[in-house]
Amino acid sequence: MRPRKLLRIARWEVTKNAGGIDRRTVGIALVALALFGLVVPFIISGDTGLDDGLYRVSVDEESPYYDVVDSEGAFVIREGGERAVSRSEVELYIGDGEIVYAESRKGIAAYGQLQSAVSRYNNRQLRQELNQTAAFPVSVVLEYRQQSALGDGLRLGGDSGGTDDSDDEDGSTGQTDGSDGGESGESDGSEAGDTSTDQPDDGEPDGPATDRETTTDTGGSGGPIGGFGASFTEDSISGSPSDINPPFPFQSLVLAFLVIIPMNFLIQAYGSTILSERTNRRGELLLVSPVSRFDIIGGKTLPYFVGGMAVEVAIIAGLFVLVNGQLGGPVSVLAVMPLVLLFLGATFLGAMFARSFKELTFVTVTITVTLTSYAFVPAIFTDVGAVALISPLTLLVRELQGEAISLAEFVFSTTPPLLCAGVFFGLGAGLYREEDMFDQRSLRGRVLDALVGPIPVRGKPGGFTARLNGLLPVDVTPLRQYLAVGGLTAALIPFVFVVQLLAIALLFALGEISVVLILVVVAVVEELAKSLHIYAGYTHRRFASGRRRAVLLGVASGVGFFLGEKIALLAQLVGLPDLAVGEAGLQGGIIPGPPVLTVLLFLLAPLALHVVTAGISAVGASRSKRAYVVAVGTAMLVHLAYNLTVVVSVV
Amino acid sequence: MFDHPRWTITKRELGSLSREKTIVLAICIQLFIAAFSSFLVVGLTSLYDPGSVDGGADIEVGVPGDVEENLIRAGQEVDGVTIRRVASNDDALELFERGQLDAVVSTASSPVGGGTQVQVEAVVPAEDLRTTVIVVSVRELLSELERLERVERVDYLDEAPVQIPEDVGSSSYFGFTYTILLPLLLFLPAFISGSIVVDSITEEIEQGTLELLRVSPLSLVDIVDGKAAGMVAIAPIQAGLWMVLLRLNGTGIENVGVLLVFVAAMTLITVVVGTMLGLLTGQRRQAQLLYSLLAVLLFGGTIALPEHPASTVALLAVDSATGTTLAHVAGFTVLGIGLYACVRWYVGRVDVESL
C-alpha cells in the first residue's frame, strides 16, 4: 500500500463523488437535520403520549378514582356503567367501592395501568400537602456498594466517580462523600428539591449538589426519563421510596443513539459509491491503473472514515459539554472508532455482494438493524457489569457518567468489532478483482466467492507460500491449502465471537432457558464458520477429491478454530464467564484453573471436538450440496450434544 | 384492465424482488426486529418485575439494630422479601460484603419540622445481575413502609391518599406490544417500499435503461404507475402477514381492514416521496440520503398531529378507536391519494430527455 496513491484516490473520491452531492442536496439535508433537531427534544422528553386513550374506563363522578382516571393520559372516560364492561365497550368500571375489569388481556392491562396511575396521582397530591413530614414520612438514602472487590485493574478514565469509601458509612444518615455529587441522583427532576428543603438538617451535601439541581423539571412524572444529566445513575439516590428507580440509564441510551444514527447515513453514501464502481464497469479504469486494490479500497474508504469520525467527535464533544459542562471524552472517541470501522466494513462487503441498488438497500437495512442492536442492546444493561461491555457504547455511557474504565474492559469491548471489521474488509478485498466485480452472481454465490478467495489454486502464483513451489521438489499446494483453510477459519473467529456475544446479550435475561438457546447459537455459528469455506472450495473445484483429503481439510479447519478460539480469553479479563450464560457461550476457549489433570483434558477435549465436527462437515462438503447440508447439521448436533454434556457436568 | 402495459412494469418490479430474493431478506430483517424487541421486552420486564423471574427472586434484607415495627410488618406484606435481623450495622455490612445479604436497610427516627420522619438508609449491590431486582424489591418494601407510616399520620393530611387497588397480576407487555412493536412492524414495510422505489427509478436513469423503456409504447406516467403499484401492494401484504402471525401468537388485533388501509396510505406517501426524489435528483446516492432523512423527519413531525400514527395503530388494534383515530386514517388516505395525483401531474409534464 502506497500512501501517496491512496491519498490521491481519497482526494478523487471527495472531489468527484462527494462533489456529486450538489449544494442543493446538502442544503436540503441540512434543513432536514435542523428540523429533526427541533423534534428530538419532544422525543427525549418522553411525552410522546403513544398510549393516549388506550383504555376506556367508566367511572362514577363521586368515586375517589375519578380524578385519577381523568388525569391519566392512557385512560379515556366513557359512559356506560358496569354493563358496558360485559358488552366490552369499556375495559374498567369503577363504581362505589368496586372495580370491575374485563376478563381479557386488555382488561387486566388496564387494571395494572390503574394501579400505577393511582400511585402517581397520590404522589402528586401529597406533594401539595402542607405537612410534608406526614405526606412523605419515609426518607430514603439508597447507596450502591461493591459486594466484593473485583478486578481493580489499571484504570483509564476519570477518577471522580467510582465506588465510595466504606468509611463514611458509619455516620447516622450514611451520606456518600459530597465530592462526587452523587446525591442529586435520580430524584432531581421530580422532587429532590422538595425533600431537601423540608429537611434542612439531614445533612444533604448541598454544595456540589445544588449546581446540578438546576436541570430540567419533568413535571413530577417520576419516571426514569428526566432532564439531561439528572437520571444518570449515580452512586446513591435519596428521596422518598417512590423516587427509587432501578438503574436504567435511559438517557445515556438516547444519547448513545445519537452516536449511531449518523452512521446509518454515512453507510448509505459509502455503499452507493462502492456499488457504483461496479455498475457499468466504471471501476475498471481504476483497476487497470498501476495501483493495488488495497490502495483503491483504502482511498475510497478513507474520506468516509475521516468524515464519520469527525461527526462522531463533534457529537461526543457536544454530549460532554451538554452533560458535564466541559469538553471530554477521549476514551469515548477511541471506543466509537471500531464501531465506525465495523459499519464501513460491513457495508463494503455488502456492496461487493449486492447485484443492484435495490439489493444494496436491503443489505444496508440489514446491516443497520444488526449493528445497531449489537451496539445498543448490551448498553441497556450498563449497570449489569460484564454483559454491557460487549458493546463499545457502554464505554461512552460510562465515561459520560464519570466512571472509571479499566484497560481490560476497554480491550474486551473494542477488540472484537475491530477484528470483525478487518475480516469484512479482507473478504471484500478478495472480491475486488476484475473477474468478480462485474459479474452478476447471486448473494449466496458471492458469499462463497468471497470465502474461496484466499484458498490457493494449483499452479497459480500468489501469496508468499507460492514461492516455495519453485524451491521444493514436491508440489506443496495441498499443504498451502490446508494452511489457508486453517487460517481462514481462525480469521472468521472474531465474527463468531461477536455473534456469540450478541446472543449472550440478547438472551441472558431469559433465565435458565438462555443457556440452552445460547448453546444452540454457538453450535450453529461455529460449525458454519468451520465448514463454509471448505464447501466453497469444493464448489470452486479448488481441492482434489477423495475422502482422505476432505478429512485432512476438516482437521486443518478444526485446529485453526481451536487456536483462534483463544480470543475468548479476552472475556476472562472482564469476568464475563462468571455469568452462567457467558460460560456456556464461550466455554470452548476458556481455560479453567487447576487441577493440572483436568487442564489437559479441557485443552484436548475442545480440540478433539472441533476436529471431529469439522471433519464431518468437510466430508459432506466434498460430495454434494445436499450431503453438505446433512453433514453440517450432524456436526451441529454433535457439537450441541458435547456442549450440553460439558455445561451440565461443569456448571 | 390488467392488459395495460403498466401492469407489465409492476410484474417486472415484483419479479426482480423475488428473483433477487431480497424480499426474503426484508422479511428476515423484520423477523429479527420482532424477535429482538420481544427478547428485549421479556428481558427488561423480568428485570423490572421481580415476580416474573423464575424462582420468585427471594431477596434477603438485613435489618440491623432497633427497627421500626412497621418495617417488619411491611416485610411480611411484600412477597419475595425476607427480613433478617442483625445485631449491629457493622455486622450487617460485613454480611453484605460477603454476599450473604442482598441488601441492608437501617432505619432511624428523627424529628423534622413538626413531626418525626423515618430516615432509611438502604445499601444495595453496585454491579450485579440482580441489582435491578433487588432495588425493585427494596422499593416495594419501603413503599409499603411508607404506606403504613402514612396511615398512622393520616390525621395530619388534608386529603387522604387514594387506595391502591389490589394486585391481580397484570403484565406490562400489553402496552409495549401495541404501542411500539405493532407500529414498528407495520411502518417498516412502508419505509422499505419507498426506499425500493428510489432505487428502482434511479437505477433506470443511471443505467440508461429508462431510454429503452421509453422506446416501448409506455409513457413515463405509466412507468411510474407500474413501479408505484407494485411497491404499494407489497407493504400491506407484509403488514397483513405480521398481523396473522401476531394473532397466532395470541395477540388479538382488531380492525385489520382499517389497519391495512392505513398502512397502504402510509406506503403511498413514502412512495410519493421516493418517486419525487428519484426523478428530481436522478442519482441514487443523493436520493437515498434525502429519502432516509425526509422519512425520519416526516415520521418525527407527525408528533405534532393530535394523534401520532403509532397511537392510531395501537388504538385501532386494541379496538379503542375514536372518531379522531378514524379521521386520521381518512386524512392520511386522502393525503396519500392527493400527493400521488400531484406526482402524476408532475410526471406528465416532465421532459424525459432531461432525466
Side-chain angles (χ1 to χ4, degrees):
Chain A
M1 223 187 272
R2 281 156 299 183
R4 261 191 59 221
K5 303 209 159 152
L6 192 148
L7 285 177
R8 171 174 293 183
I9 294 176
R11 205 172 64 229
W12 281 343
E13 177 68 28
V14 173
T15 48
K16 283 267 162 46
N17 280 318
I21 291 187
D22 53 62
R23 286 210 193 98
R24 194 179 48 172
T25 314
V26 174
I28 297 174
L30 285 181
V31 170
L33 274 180
L35 285 174
F36 185 64
L38 290 180
V39 183
V40 167
F42 276 106
I43 299 171
I44 291 184
S45 75
D47 256 350
T48 46
L50 283 183
D51 58 355
D52 274 1
L54 201 59
Y55 309 110
R56 298 162 299 181
V57 182
S58 170
V59 55
D60 285 352
E61 294 251 7
E62 293 80 31
S63 165
Y65 291 107
Y66 186 85
D67 287 338
V68 178
V69 173
D70 199 31
S71 64
E72 179 74 12
F75 291 131
V76 55
I77 297 179
R78 292 280 174 85
E79 300 295 316
E82 198 174 340
R83 276 171 53 216
V85 176
S86 49
R87 287 202 303 266
S88 68
E89 282 168 9
V90 298
E91 280 72 51
L92 278 182
Y93 165 70
I94 305 168
D96 194 21
E98 57 163 0
I99 299 174
V100 183
Y101 59 92
E103 284 292 336
S104 62
R105 289 182 59 209
K106 192 183 176 188
I108 296 172
Y111 189 88
Q113 182 83 23
L114 180 68
Q115 285 178 312
S116 51
V118 169
S119 1
R120 275 197 294 275
Y121 175 82
N122 278 345
N123 277 333
R124 260 198 319 275
Q125 291 300 111
L126 287 167
R127 218 164 290 142
Q128 317 281 327
E129 292 277 343
L130 281 174
N131 187 339
Q132 283 291 316
T133 343
F136 294 99
V138 177
S139 152
V140 186
V141 175
L142 185 71
E143 188 193 329
Y144 292 99
R145 184 186 272 234
Q146 212 85 38
Q147 265 186 321
S148 57
L150 269 174
D152 275 324
L154 187 52
R155 293 277 153 183
L156 276 180
D159 50 326
S160 60
T163 50
D164 290 318
D165 312 324
S166 49
D167 291 358
D168 54 348
E169 184 48 51
D170 299 331
S172 59
T173 47
Q175 297 300 332
T176 57
D177 47 355
S179 65
D180 63 5
E183 284 308 296
S184 52
E186 302 228 327
S187 47
D188 272 357
S190 44
E191 64 183 309
D194 296 11
T195 35
S196 60
T197 47
D198 291 330
Q199 317 148 6
D201 54 347
D202 75 344
E204 297 250 352
D206 282 327
T210 37
D211 294 340
R212 292 188 166 206
E213 282 177 15
T214 53
T215 49
T216 56
D217 192 347
T218 57
S221 67
I225 308 159
F228 270 129
S231 80
F232 287 116
T233 47
E234 305 272 355
D235 286 336
S236 71
I237 297 169
S238 69
S240 84
S242 54
D243 293 332
I244 300 177
N245 273 309
F248 182 58
F250 183 85
Q251 271 171 317
S252 327
L253 278 178
V254 173
L255 300 177
F257 203 58
L258 289 177
V259 174
I260 294 294
I261 283 183
M263 287 290 91
N264 296 317
F265 297 122
L266 186 73
I267 62 170
Q268 284 278 3
Y270 181 61
S272 291
T273 192
I274 298 291
L275 187 58
S276 67
E277 285 289 301
R278 296 181 47 220
T279 51
N280 295 351
R281 303 185 77 88
R282 222 174 288 174
E284 187 138 36
L285 293 175
L286 264 182
L287 273 180
V288 296
S289 67
V291 289
S292 75
R293 56 185 156 172
F294 299 103
D295 291 333
I296 303 177
I297 298 169
K300 284 200 150 288
T301 310
L302 190 66
Y304 293 92
F305 176 66
V306 171
M309 283 313 291
V311 172
E312 296 297 349
V313 168
I315 290 176
I316 290 173
L319 280 180
F320 273 83
V321 168
L322 206 63
V323 173
N324 293 347
Q326 57 187 33
L327 280 174
V331 180
S332 303
V333 171
L334 285 179
V336 166
M337 197 164 72
L339 267 185
V340 175
L341 279 174
L342 187 59
F343 266 94
L344 290 178
T347 311
F348 176 67
L349 189 60
M352 292 309 292
F353 283 166
R355 266 169 297 184
S356 63
F357 283 126
K358 258 180 282 184
E359 208 165 59
L360 180 63
T361 293
F362 285 105
V363 172
T364 346
V365 174
T366 317
I367 291 170
T368 302
V369 169
T370 327
L371 291 187
T372 305
S373 47
Y374 164 72
F376 208 53
V377 176
I380 287 176
F381 305 102
T382 299
D383 294 276
V384 194
V387 170
L389 283 169
I390 290 170
S391 159
L393 278 189
T394 306
L395 298 178
L396 165 63
V397 172
R398 289 200 176 169
E399 199 186 9
L400 212 50
Q401 292 173 355
E403 284 175 36
I405 297 161
S406 79
L407 189 60
E409 289 168 343
F410 184 83
V411 170
F412 167 71
S413 203
T414 50
T415 310
L418 205 58
L419 291 178
C420 227
V423 172
F424 284 145
F425 274 116
L427 288 178
L431 285 177
Y432 210 93
R433 297 176 301 186
E434 215 241 331
E435 61 264 44
D436 286 323
M437 258 177 101
F438 306 119
D439 72 345
Q440 292 276 318
R441 299 254 286 149
S442 70
L443 212 56
R444 194 175 56 86
R446 283 211 169 264
V447 173
L448 296 183
D449 282 353
L451 287 173
V452 91
I455 297 174
V457 193
R458 186 183 301 268
K460 199 178 171 189
F464 68 96
T465 47
R467 298 198 187 116
L468 291 174
N469 270 347
L471 299 174
L472 297 174
V474 287
D475 184 15
V476 287
T477 313
L479 201 63
R480 286 169 48 213
Q481 287 181 338
Y482 296 139
L483 270 179
V485 165
L488 196 54
T489 311
L492 287 175
I493 298 261
F495 184 67
V496 172
F497 190 51
V498 165
V499 172
Q500 291 177 357
L501 289 179
L502 184 60
I504 290 174
L506 279 174
L507 300 173
F508 89 100
L510 290 183
E512 286 288 301
I513 182 96
S514 65
V515 173
V516 179
L517 288 176
I518 285 172
L519 289 182
V520 172
V521 174
V522 166
V524 170
V525 177
E526 292 191 353
E527 288 314 315
L528 281 180
K530 278 187 288 184
S531 65
L532 209 53
H533 49 292
I534 298 182
Y535 172 64
Y538 274 111
T539 56
H540 285 68
R541 299 178 196 286
R542 291 283 165 99
F543 305 129
S545 56
R547 187 180 294 172
R548 198 173 133 262
R549 177 62 58 88
V551 170
L552 285 176
L553 285 170
V555 171
S557 179
V559 172
F561 194 91
F562 174 75
L563 294 177
E565 193 178 48
K566 294 296 163 264
I567 188 187
L569 286 172
L570 266 182
Q572 255 173 344
L573 289 177
V574 293
L576 191 61
D578 293 347
L579 287 169
V581 286
E583 165 133 20
L586 309 165
Q587 41 103 8
I590 291 164
I591 301 172
V596 184
L597 231 173
T598 49
V599 169
L600 207 64
L601 186 69
F602 269 92
L603 272 176
L604 289 182
L607 179 61
L609 168 81
H610 290 313
V611 167
V612 168
T613 51
I616 295 174
S617 325
V619 170
S622 69
R623 301 242 166 99
S624 65
K625 185 178 170 187
R626 186 178 296 167
Y628 170 66
V629 172
V630 173
V632 89
T634 321
M636 285 170 190
L637 286 178
V638 172
H639 196 140
L640 185 62
Y642 166 86
N643 277 352
L644 282 174
T645 334
V646 170
V647 168
V648 166
S649 61
V650 171
V651 176
Chain B
M1 173 192 174
F2 286 90
D3 290 342
H4 195 278
R6 79 168 72 98
W7 299 110
T8 320
I9 300 269
T10 307
K11 258 186 266 169
R12 204 190 61 151
E13 285 294 306
L14 296 178
S16 86
L17 281 186
S18 59
R19 199 172 53 246
E20 290 182 351
K21 304 224 176 52
T22 37
I23 203 71
V24 181
L25 200 57
I27 289 173
C28 286
I29 296 168
Q30 293 170 34
L31 203 65
F32 181 79
I33 290 183
F36 158 67
S37 335
S38 8
F39 277 135
L40 201 60
V41 73
V42 170
L44 285 179
T45 337
S46 62
L47 280 177
Y48 278 82
D49 186 8
S52 69
V53 175
D54 42 45
D58 199 20
I59 307 295
E60 197 158 14
V61 178
V63 177
D66 298 328
V67 287
E68 300 284 324
E69 198 184 317
N70 277 336
L71 185 60
I72 306 293
R73 272 174 60 199
Q76 288 157 358
E77 290 285 316
V78 177
D79 295 335
V81 174
T82 321
I83 299 274
R84 181 163 151 201
R85 301 190 66 159
V86 188
S88 76
N89 205 15
D90 290 346
D91 289 350
L93 287 174
E94 205 189 316
L95 284 173
F96 172 79
E97 259 157 36
R98 274 191 271 142
Q100 292 174 7
L101 287 174
D102 294 314
V104 177
V105 173
S106 55
T107 55
S109 279
S110 70
V112 171
T116 59
Q117 194 175 30
V118 184
Q119 305 279 352
V120 178
E121 182 210 322
V123 180
V124 293
E127 273 191 11
D128 192 305
L129 254 184
R130 299 175 71 214
T131 298
T132 313
V133 178
I134 293 170
V135 172
V136 172
S137 299
V138 167
R139 176 173 66 184
E140 264 181 45
L141 176 72
L142 295 178
S143 297
E144 182 65 18
L145 171 68
E146 186 180 47
R147 195 185 67 81
L148 293 169
E149 292 284 337
R150 254 183 211 152
V151 170
E152 283 177 7
R153 296 161 208 227
V154 76
D155 295 342
Y156 299 102
L157 291 177
D158 301 334
E159 222 176 306
V162 181
Q163 174 115 31
I164 296 180
E166 288 286 306
D167 220 356
V168 294
S170 58
S171 89
S172 30
Y173 304 137
F174 188 86
F176 172 85
T177 311
Y178 288 100
T179 57
I180 307 224
L181 186 58
L182 185 65
L184 200 66
L185 291 178
L186 296 194
F187 292 146
L188 197 70
F191 176 77
I192 293 181
S193 278
S195 197
I196 304 177
V197 169
V198 173
D199 285 337
S200 179
I201 287 178
T202 51
E203 202 163 34
E204 301 272 12
I205 296 174
E206 283 193 31
Q207 305 242 19
T209 43
L210 194 65
E211 302 249 332
L212 293 179
L213 268 181
R214 289 277 301 137
V215 180
S216 67
L218 280 167
S219 69
L220 192 58
V221 177
D222 288 332
I223 297 172
V224 167
D225 271 351
K227 286 182 185 295
M231 290 311 126
V232 175
I234 58 167
I237 293 175
Q238 291 176 67
L241 203 66
W242 273 117
M243 291 194 268
V244 171
L245 281 177
L246 283 173
R247 271 192 165 176
L248 288 179
N249 203 18
T251 306
I253 292 174
E254 307 288 328
N255 298 316
V256 172
V258 187
L259 281 174
L260 288 179
V261 170
F262 192 52
V263 172
M266 282 290 181
T267 317
L268 200 54
I269 295 173
T270 60
V271 163
V272 163
V273 174
T275 311
M276 285 308 286
L277 287 174
L279 288 174
L280 285 175
T281 64
Q283 282 186 23
R284 195 247 179 193
R285 194 169 6 183
Q286 298 170 17
Q288 277 295 0
L289 186 69
L290 288 179
Y291 172 76
S292 30
L293 276 174
L294 279 181
V296 171
L297 183 69
L298 286 179
F299 195 71
T302 49
I303 209 166
L305 290 175
E307 198 176 279
H308 194 268
S311 257
T312 306
V313 166
L315 292 179
L316 282 170
V318 298
D319 199 21
S320 289
T322 57
T324 327
T325 315
L326 293 175
H328 274 77
V329 176
F332 273 107
T333 314
V334 170
L335 181 70
I337 293 172
L339 284 177
Y340 192 69
C342 293
V343 167
R344 284 194 65 155
W345 175 79
Y346 169 79
V347 171
R349 294 166 49 95
V350 88
D351 179 17
V352 189
E353 302 303 320
S354 69
L355 287 176

